[in-house]
Amino acid sequence: MLRFAIATLLASTVTADNGLTVSMYENGALSGTPSKTYTITSLDKVSESGVGSISITGTLTFPILGWHNFTCEFAQTSLAMVWVDGHMVCTDAKHYQDWRDPKQLRGEIDNPIMVREKKDLAFRVHLYRNSSIPASTATTFSMKWSLNGSSSITSIPLSAMTTEMSPSEQEREALQKEVQRGWGNWNQHSILDIVKLPDSAVLTTMLCNKNDDCITDTRIELDRGNDCYVRVGMYAGDQSYTQFYFGQSKTVSGNVSVEYTSTETNDLTMLITPQTVEQGHKIRIAGRFAWWRSGEYTIVSGNEVTFQGTGFDKFTMYIQGNTTINGNFIDISLDNGPITISTLKSTTVQSARSDLTAAHETRMNYLRTTFKDRAEVALAIEASAMWNLVYVPLENGPLFPVSRNWNWVHGSAKGDFDYVIFDWDNLFASLLGALTNKKLGYSNFIQAMKSKTSDGFVPNYAAGGMKSQDRTEPPVGAKVLEELYNRYGDKWLVELVFDDLLDWQAFFLRERLLEPLNLVCLGSYNVVAAKTHEGSTTAGMQGGRWESGLDNSPMYDGEFFNSTTYKMMLYDVGMTSMLAQEAQSLAYLADQIGRPEKQMLLDRAAHFRALLADNLWDEKIGTFSNKFPNGTFYERISPTTFYPLQVRAATDEQADSMVTNWLLNKDRFCISPTGDSKGNGPDCYWGLPSIQAGDPAFPPLGYWRGYVWGPMAQLTYWSLKQYNTTIVNQGRKAMTNQLTSLMMSQWNRNRHICENYGPHQNTTDCTGTQFYHWGALTGMITLMEEQYW
C-alpha cells in the first residue's frame, strides 16, 4: 500500500467545490481506481511518499484577462507535466534522454499563456514517481503564477480552484482512459515492440541470423535510416487482429510474418511464421517497461517469461518452440517452422493459426457487411490510421501521429517518447480513425485541438510541449468536427473544443488579415519568444510557406514577406476559403449545442464569401487565384483554386466552368470525365496534382510542386460537394474514383499509404514518406461520396 504524507491539510471550512482533486494510484500509469482521493487547498507544496503516480485535476479560474506565467518545481519524478486548458505550461523535461533543463524549452513551450475570454480552464497535473528512490522519500510538486505580465510571483489562491472539471472535460477524461488499454504497437519508435497498456510492458521480437546479426527495431518506411523491409497487412480498428512482414535488411536475409490477436481480457496470441529464412535464423525476444515506468521482467525458463508492472498483476507469456536463454534474451529457432508466444499456456501453432484465422475473418466480415464493395478501401483506410496509432504519456490520450518516422521530440528517451502532432494532418486523421473506431478518432482529434498555442491557434507542429509558436497551418478543425458530429452525434465533443475553435478563428482575424481588402494572408511571428526573449520571433517567408501547409508550393515562389508586419504580402485564396468554411461549420455546431454565436459566425462566413467572389475570381483565366495587394493576380494555380466553392463563393455557372476547364482538363488537373484516367498523358495520369500540369514547376515535380496529396483531394471534394449541377457532379464522382484507384494501386502493390503520390502513370511507389496516414483521404472521399461515412 502507498504511504501518504499530505503536506497541505484540508481546512474544515472549505466546501466540496473548493480546491483541487488529488488522486493517488498504486501503479505507475495513473490507471484504474485511485487508491486514495482527497482535496488540496494550495499548490505551494504537494508532497507524497511511496510508489505509484499522482494526478491533480480541477479547474483554474483566472481573475483577470491577459498574459499569465507559471512557475513550477518538481522533485523525485520520473516524468511530470502540468496542463492548463491543454497548454503544457510546465514539465520536468525527463522525456529527453539527457533529462535536460526545462528552461531550454522556453520560447517554444506554452508559458506564458494568454487568457482572452474564457476564464475557467481545465487543470491537470500528471506526476510519475521516480521508482528508483526509497519509498520514504517524497515526490514533491509546487506551482505559482504571475498574472497579466506582472513580475510578482504569487500563490494561486483557493478562490481560483475548483475540484471538478467541466462535464465535457470529464467525458474526455473517461474516454481517453478507456482507450489506453490492451495490446498493440503503441510505441512509435518500433513496430517490433508489442506493448500492453496500461501496464507499459514491452515485448520486443527481433529477427537474427546465425551470426547474431539482428533487426532490433523497425518502422514501416524504407527511408530515414531504416534498412529493413516491412509490408503491413490488416490492423483492425478494434485491435482484435494485426499482421505484418519484416526482414531483408543489409545483414539479415530472412523474412517472417508476425500476426497477433488479443481479447477484451488482455490475452495475447502471437504467431511468427518464417517466409524465407536460412538455417540458423531465430526470433530473439526481450522484455522491458516503457516511458520510465517500473516493473519486473523475469525469464523463468526458455519457454516462460513474466511481466509485473508496479502496481499491476503479474502475467506470464509462454513460448512454443526450440528456445535458448541468451543472457537477457530468449532465442527461438525458426529451423522447425512457426513459433507462438501467448499469455495462454495451452496455445499451440495449430490453435494459434485457428484463432488468428477466425479473428481475421471476423474483421473482414465486418468490413464487407459495413462497406460492401468498398471493403478493401475501408481496410486500407483503417490500416492508415491504426498503423500510426501510438500512446505517449506526454499526451492525455492515444493519437495518430502522421507517420512512425516523424518525430519532433529530438533526443527523446529510448525512443519511447518519439512523436509529433501536425495540425491539419492530425485533424484529418481523426476522420480516418473514426471510420471504424469512434473513440480513438475522438482521442486523436482532442489532442490535436488541445495542442493549441498560447496565442490561440493550433500550431504547425507540437511535440512534448514544444510547438511552432510562430505559425499555424490550414484551419480544418471545425469542418472535421462537423463531420464527426454528423456521424456520431456526441454534443460533449463539440462543447469540449468549441471555444478552442473560436480562438483559432480569432487568431486569424487578429493576426492574419492583409490590408486593404482584409483577406487572409500567411505569416510567421512568435509572440511567446517576444514575451520571454527566448528564441527567434519569426521564420520569415519560409515560416509563412510552412503555415500554408504547402511548404514549397510554386504559389509562394519569390520573396514577399513584410518583416515589419510579419505577413506574406499575398491574399491567399485557400486560407481565406478555409477560414470561411470554418465559420460556416462553427455556426452549424453552435446551433447544435445552443451557443449564441451562430448568427455572428454566419455573418462572418458571408463576409468572406463576398470578399472571395468580388476580389479573388480571376476572370481572365476563369478560376480563383491568389492576388497581391497591388491588384495583380499571382496565377500559379493549385487545387486551392477550388476551395472557395466550400462556401459557394462561385455561381453555378462559374463552378461548371472551373470543373470543365480546370478539373477535367487533361492539361491542367487531369481528371478524366469517366474517372479512369482515360485520355490522360503519362505525366499527369492520376490527376489533381498539387500544381496544375501547365505550370512550369510541374514537369520537374517535387513535394508540393506537382505530387498528388490526400488533403487537397479531401478539401476539393468538400468544395465540389456544395454544388449539384450535372457537370460538377460528374467531375466530383470522376475525381473520387480516379484518386481512390491511385491509392489502391499503391496499397495493393506495396501496402503503402503515401504522404504524397506521383502523378505519373509509371510511378511504382510513394514519392514521399511511405506510410503517412493522410494519403488515405484519397480513398475516404469515395466512401463519403458513396455514403459509407
Side-chain angles (χ1 to χ4, degrees):
M1 295 293 292
L2 289 171
R3 293 192 297 276
F4 303 94
I6 304 173
T8 307
L9 300 178
L10 296 178
S12 59
T13 57
V14 175
T15 65
D17 289 334
N18 293 92
L20 296 168
T21 301
V22 176
S23 299
M24 299 290 298
Y25 298 84
E26 295 188 13
N27 59 69
L30 300 171
S31 178
T33 303
S35 55
K36 185 171 183 178
T37 302
Y38 59 94
T39 301
I40 56 172
T41 60
S42 171
L43 286 171
D44 284 356
K45 187 175 183 181
V46 179
S47 178
E48 302 293 350
S49 61
V51 297
S53 49
I54 308 160
S55 72
I56 306 172
T57 57
T59 300
L60 288 185
T61 299
F62 290 79
I64 56 175
L65 303 178
W67 285 96
H68 306 317
N69 195 49
F70 302 89
T71 302
C72 305
E73 293 185 2
F74 309 94
Q76 307 306 336
T77 55
S78 63
L79 188 66
M81 292 80 61
V82 181
W83 292 277
V84 177
D85 192 31
H87 303 288
M88 188 189 289
V89 297
C90 296
T91 173
D92 64 358
K94 290 180 180 175
H95 43 288
Y96 294 97
Q97 190 69 50
D98 53 9
W99 287 27
R100 65 189 60 178
D101 185 342
K103 292 179 181 178
Q104 293 182 28
L105 308 182
R106 292 187 67 189
E108 292 185 88
I109 199 168
D110 284 346
N111 195 5
I113 65 170
M114 166 58 83
V115 177
R116 284 197 168 87
E117 293 186 22
K118 184 180 178 183
K119 293 184 178 181
D120 300 325
L121 303 181
F123 180 72
R124 287 178 175 84
V125 180
H126 289 178
L127 305 174
Y128 298 92
R129 180 175 166 78
N130 184 351
S131 61
S132 66
I133 63 174
S136 59
T137 303
T139 295
T140 64
F141 165 69
S142 64
M143 179 174 174
K144 296 184 178 182
W145 66 11
S146 56
L147 298 178
N148 200 22
S150 170
S151 60
S152 176
I153 300 173
T154 62
S155 298
I156 299 174
L158 178 60
S159 60
M161 303 177 189
T162 307
T163 56
E164 298 287 342
M165 294 187 289
S166 69
S168 60
E169 283 284 359
Q170 292 178 46
E171 291 270 8
R172 170 196 181 183
E173 194 74 9
L175 179 143
Q176 292 191 308
K177 283 201 169 189
E178 178 186 346
V179 294
Q180 292 176 39
R181 305 193 70 82
W183 290 95
N185 298 93
W186 294 107
N187 189 348
Q188 173 164 316
H189 180 69
S190 176
I191 64 170
L192 303 187
D193 287 348
I194 312 300
V195 185
K196 183 188 178 190
L197 292 181
D199 311 44
S200 309
V202 182
L203 178 74
T204 303
T205 56
M206 299 169 269
L207 177 62
C208 306
N209 63 21
K210 64 182 180 181
N211 298 320
D212 275 353
D213 299 315
C214 298
I215 300 171
T216 59
D217 61 78
T218 190
R219 289 162 294 282
I220 299 174
E221 298 84 358
L222 294 174
D223 56 355
R224 303 201 177 194
N226 181 29
D227 68 349
C228 169
Y229 176 79
V230 174
R231 183 179 176 92
V232 300
M234 175 188 286
Y235 196 142
D238 62 359
Q239 298 172 282
S240 61
Y241 178 84
T242 307
Q243 189 274 333
F244 65 98
Y245 300 93
F246 80 100
Q248 304 298 335
S249 73
K250 294 176 182 177
T251 56
V252 181
S253 60
N255 177 32
V256 298
S257 166
V258 178
E259 54 185 326
Y260 63 89
T261 183
S262 58
T263 67
E264 292 183 0
T265 57
N266 281 332
D267 280 318
L268 174 77
T269 296
M270 179 185 296
L271 180 68
I272 301 178
T273 305
Q275 304 297 297
T276 55
V277 296
E278 297 175 357
Q279 195 76 9
H281 274 61
K282 58 211 169 194
I283 293 295
R284 174 169 290 172
I285 68 169
R288 65 181 182 91
F289 291 84
W291 307 297
W292 300 127
R293 294 176 180 173
S294 62
E296 291 186 3
Y297 168 70
T298 304
I299 299 177
V300 178
S301 70
N303 298 99
E304 186 176 330
V305 299
T306 62
F307 290 86
Q308 184 168 21
T310 298
F312 292 101
D313 293 336
K314 180 187 292 187
F315 67 91
T316 303
M317 304 201 76
Y318 302 96
I319 305 156
Q320 297 293 326
N322 183 12
T323 66
T324 303
I325 298 176
N326 182 5
N328 294 325
F329 307 117
I330 294 179
D331 291 343
I332 316 164
S333 173
L334 293 172
D335 289 347
N336 298 320
I339 64 168
T340 67
I341 304 171
S342 179
T343 56
L344 302 171
K345 191 172 184 178
S346 60
T347 299
T348 64
V349 169
Q350 183 177 2
S351 69
R353 184 172 289 121
S354 175
D355 290 346
L356 287 158
T357 299
H360 179 272
E361 191 57 28
T362 297
R363 193 61 184 175
M364 281 307 306
N365 285 338
Y366 160 76
L367 294 173
R368 294 185 193 107
T369 300
T370 306
F371 301 102
K372 310 228 172 6
D373 291 344
R374 296 296 187 177
E376 290 294 329
V377 175
L379 185 152
I381 293 171
E382 180 177 70
S384 77
M386 294 302 294
W387 277 113
N388 288 309
L389 172 67
V390 306
Y391 165 79
V392 60
L394 303 172
E395 300 291 333
N396 203 59
L399 66 157
F400 303 119
V402 293
S403 165
R404 290 178 179 269
N405 265 9
W406 288 80
N407 167 45
W408 250 241
V409 187
H410 300 298
S412 70
K414 296 183 180 178
D416 286 357
F417 297 95
D418 288 3
Y419 81 108
V420 65
I421 295 173
F422 288 137
D423 164 2
W424 62 328
D425 314 51
N426 272 78
L427 290 170
F428 279 131
S430 305
L431 297 176
L432 303 172
L435 178 68
T436 60
N437 191 318
K438 177 185 81 169
K439 293 177 181 178
L440 288 175
Y442 281 13
S443 182
N444 176 78
F445 179 80
I446 292 165
Q447 293 313 113
M449 284 304 309
K450 291 300 181 180
S451 74
K452 75 172 187 178
T453 65
S454 299
D455 208 20
F457 59 84
V458 178
N460 175 183
Y461 71 83
M466 300 177 70
K467 302 175 183 178
S468 60
Q469 299 284 354
D470 70 303
R471 61 187 181 274
T472 183
E473 273 194 312
V476 297
K479 179 59 178 174
V480 169
L481 181 57
E482 180 184 3
E483 293 283 352
L484 292 172
Y485 177 77
N486 285 339
R487 182 169 176 82
Y488 292 115
D490 289 308
K491 291 185 177 181
W492 71 264
L493 183 65
V494 181
E495 292 165 349
L496 178 70
V497 299
F498 191 85
D499 287 305
D500 300 315
L501 290 162
L502 283 180
D503 286 347
W504 201 1
Q505 287 256 308
F507 164 77
F508 277 101
L509 298 178
R510 185 176 66 249
E511 304 291 347
R512 293 293 188 267
L513 297 187
L514 181 62
E515 294 180 342
L517 297 179
N518 286 322
L519 287 152
V520 178
C521 67
L522 299 163
S524 167
Y525 180 69
N526 185 338
V527 67
V528 174
K531 290 282 182 185
T532 62
H533 307 290
E534 299 280 347
S536 174
T537 56
T538 182
M541 183 71 185
Q542 186 55 51
R545 294 186 184 107
W546 285 328
E547 184 166 82
S548 75
L550 319 177
D551 303 0
N552 69 337
S553 171
M555 293 189 297
Y556 310 117
D557 282 359
E559 295 292 328
F560 35 89
F561 187 83
N562 187 317
S563 58
T564 301
T565 63
Y566 305 104
K567 295 176 180 179
M568 193 183 289
M569 302 300 289
L570 184 74
Y571 300 128
D572 195 283
V573 67
M575 296 295 277
T576 303
S577 300
M578 285 183 278
L579 183 69
Q581 171 61 70
E582 290 289 280
Q584 190 167 279
S585 293
L586 273 176
Y588 167 76
L589 294 168
D591 192 43
Q592 301 306 304
I593 61 172
R595 290 284 296 244
E597 295 92 348
K598 175 184 176 181
Q599 191 56 52
M600 176 271 288
L601 290 162
L602 287 174
D603 292 344
R604 181 180 297 167
H607 169 74
F608 284 106
R609 180 187 305 117
L611 285 178
L612 286 162
D614 294 344
N615 297 284
L616 297 187
W617 175 261
D618 187 342
E619 187 65 37
K620 184 180 75 172
I621 61 174
T623 195
F624 290 93
S625 176
N626 294 338
K627 190 177 190 179
F628 292 111
N630 66 8
T632 303
F633 283 106
Y634 194 31
E635 294 171 348
R636 309 297 296 273
I637 305 302
S638 84
T640 64
T641 192
F642 298 107
Y643 296 0
L645 277 60
Q646 290 184 88
V647 290
R648 292 190 59 84
T651 64
D652 283 359
E653 292 74 20
Q654 287 173 325
D656 282 349
S657 173
M658 292 171 67
V659 168
T660 300
N661 297 319
W662 286 90
L663 185 69
L664 299 180
N665 187 327
K666 65 182 179 62
D667 297 318
R668 286 176 169 170
F669 287 113
C670 316
I671 297 298
S672 166
T674 51
D676 54 8
S677 297
K678 285 185 177 178
N680 287 344
D683 290 342
C684 190
Y685 181 79
W686 290 109
L688 204 71
S690 49
I691 195 72
Q692 62 101 356
D695 191 280
F698 178 79
L701 298 176
Y703 217 47
W704 292 95
R705 306 176 75 83
Y707 292 147
V708 182
W709 291 78
M712 285 182 156
Q714 185 67 66
L715 288 162
T716 301
Y717 173 77
W718 279 332
S719 301
L720 299 175
K721 190 68 175 173
Q722 300 308 308
Y723 293 78
N724 192 31
T725 70
T726 300
I727 292 174
V728 173
N729 286 341
Q730 178 191 21
R732 185 183 69 249
K733 291 174 182 178
M735 184 188 75
T736 60
N737 285 334
Q738 196 162 306
L739 294 182
T740 298
S741 295
L742 168 61
M743 182 192 84
M744 293 305 293
S745 72
Q746 293 297 342
W747 174 255
N748 291 331
R749 180 185 296 117
N750 303 308
R751 285 297 188 261
H752 287 163
I753 297 293
C754 302
E755 178 189 12
N756 50 70
Y757 300 87
H760 293 176
Q761 184 176 6
N762 63 356
T763 301
T764 58
D765 206 342
C766 302
T767 43
T769 303
Q770 293 164 328
F771 211 90
Y772 195 110
H773 50 48
W774 75 1
L777 292 170
T778 52
M780 191 70 172
I781 56 177
T782 286
L783 297 191
M784 288 183 170
E785 177 66 16
E786 297 179 5
Q787 299 183 359
Y788 290 118
W789 168 262

